[in-house]
């Protein structure tokens, strides 16, 4: 097993008044040559967008983009005709493929907290696609629920990559084992709230760890913790 720690306080940051961001990997004006990506995971941005503000129309191509709303109401629009609202508990995915232009704004009702995550695609230049889904909080209670998967049988949002995203809410302390879906993949574990012990390390709120060369992982998760696991190919 190999591992790399990503302490919360070591992340890059941007403060723009209307936007507060923390970057797990090099992004925009933040660059760290040791933190460009973890395997095929390229971006994990922890954003707070002020009410009534947001990102205007901007382009992406050949990237799998996952947005996980933690608080508030995120308004989405794109040049393929999609207009939607995502609330806490909802997950969105875009396969940018040959190119898509979209906007993201917080509603006037209040600020939005979200995680925006980019993964390099398995197949390039596919037709752009968009999807979103509400996941029942009960299905994450005390266990990990798969919310993004390349396997449609998982009833998750489909991704153009051999990657799996899972979220768990733990109201009681619990030991949890995770078995990787594909040999050669790695796990990026991100503590949304609370804490846990994993791979001999203790993680707190917004800490993360990247682990590879392992087939299974054991976690001791604290009570009142929420954890995101991102399983991705390492090359």
């Amino acid at each position: 097993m190999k591992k790399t720690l990503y302490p919360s306080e070591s992340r890059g940051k941007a403060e723009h008044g209307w936007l507060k961001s923390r970057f797990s990997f090099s992004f925009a004006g933040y660059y760290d040559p040791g933190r460009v990506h973890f395997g095929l995971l390229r971006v994990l941005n922890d954003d707070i967008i002020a009410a009534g503000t947001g990102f205007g129309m901007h382009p992406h191509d050949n990237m799998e983009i996952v947005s996980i709303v933690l608080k508030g109401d995120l308004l989405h629009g794109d040049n393929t005709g999609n207009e939607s609202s995502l609330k806490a508990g909802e997950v969105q995915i875009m396969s940018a493929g040959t190119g898509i232009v979209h906007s993201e704004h917080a509603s006037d009702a209040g600020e939005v907290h979200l995680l925006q995550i980019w993964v390099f695609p398995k197949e390039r230049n596919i037709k752009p696609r968009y999807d979103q889904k509400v996941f029942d909080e009960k299905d994450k209670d005390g266990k990990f629920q798969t919310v993004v998967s390349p396997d449609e049988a998982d009833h998750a949002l489909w991704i153009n990559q051999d990657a799996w995203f899972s979220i768990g809410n733990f109201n009681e302390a619990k030991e949890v084992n995770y078995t990787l879906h594909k040999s050669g993949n790695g796990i990026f574990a991100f503590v949304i709230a609370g804490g846990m012990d994993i791979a001999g390390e203790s993680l707190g709120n917004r800490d993360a760890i990247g682990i590879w060369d392992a087939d299974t992982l054991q976690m001791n998760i604290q009570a009142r913790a929420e954890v995101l696991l991102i399983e991705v190919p390492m090359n």
Side-chain angles (χ1 to χ4, degrees), residues 44 76 84 87 105 108 113 193:
L44 196 161
H76 165 92
S84 62
K87 296 178 174 59
H105 291 84
D108 293 334
H113 296 202

Side-chain angles (χ1 to χ4, degrees), residues 47-151:
D47 293 337
I48 300 176
I49 305 172
T53 69
F55 302 94
M57 296 293 280
H58 59 282
H60 297 283
D61 65 79
N62 287 311
M63 194 67 71
E64 299 295 297
I65 301 172
V66 176
S67 297
I68 300 172
V69 179
L70 304 176
K71 176 184 175 182
D73 186 3
L74 182 70
L75 307 179
H76 165 92
D78 63 51
N79 64 338
T80 67
N82 290 303
E83 292 188 4
S84 62
S85 167
L86 287 94
K87 296 178 174 59
E90 294 192 65
V91 181
Q92 172 201 88
I93 188 165
M94 290 192 305
S95 294
T98 55
I100 194 168
V101 180
H102 78 127
S103 64
E104 298 165 296
H105 291 84
S107 75
D108 293 334
E111 65 184 19
V112 168
H113 296 202
L114 78 150
L115 303 177
Q116 188 167 106
I117 303 158
W118 297 5
V119 176
F120 291 110
K122 184 174 184 178
E123 181 181 351
R124 291 177 56 85
N125 296 319
I126 68 171
K127 181 180 179 181
R129 62 187 300 276
Y130 173 92
D131 201 0
Q132 69 183 69
K133 188 171 182 177
V134 179
F135 291 91
D136 193 329
E137 293 299 311
K138 292 184 294 184
D139 293 331
K140 307 172 193 173
D141 187 11
K143 62 184 178 181
F144 283 102
Q145 179 187 33
T146 301
V147 296
V148 173
S149 169
D151 184 354

Side-chain angles (χ1 to χ4, degrees), residues 3 25 72 111 124 131 188 194 196 218:
K3 61 187 178 183
F25 305 101
E111 65 184 19
R124 291 177 56 85
D131 201 0
F188 191 85
M196 70 172 178
Q218 182 183 84

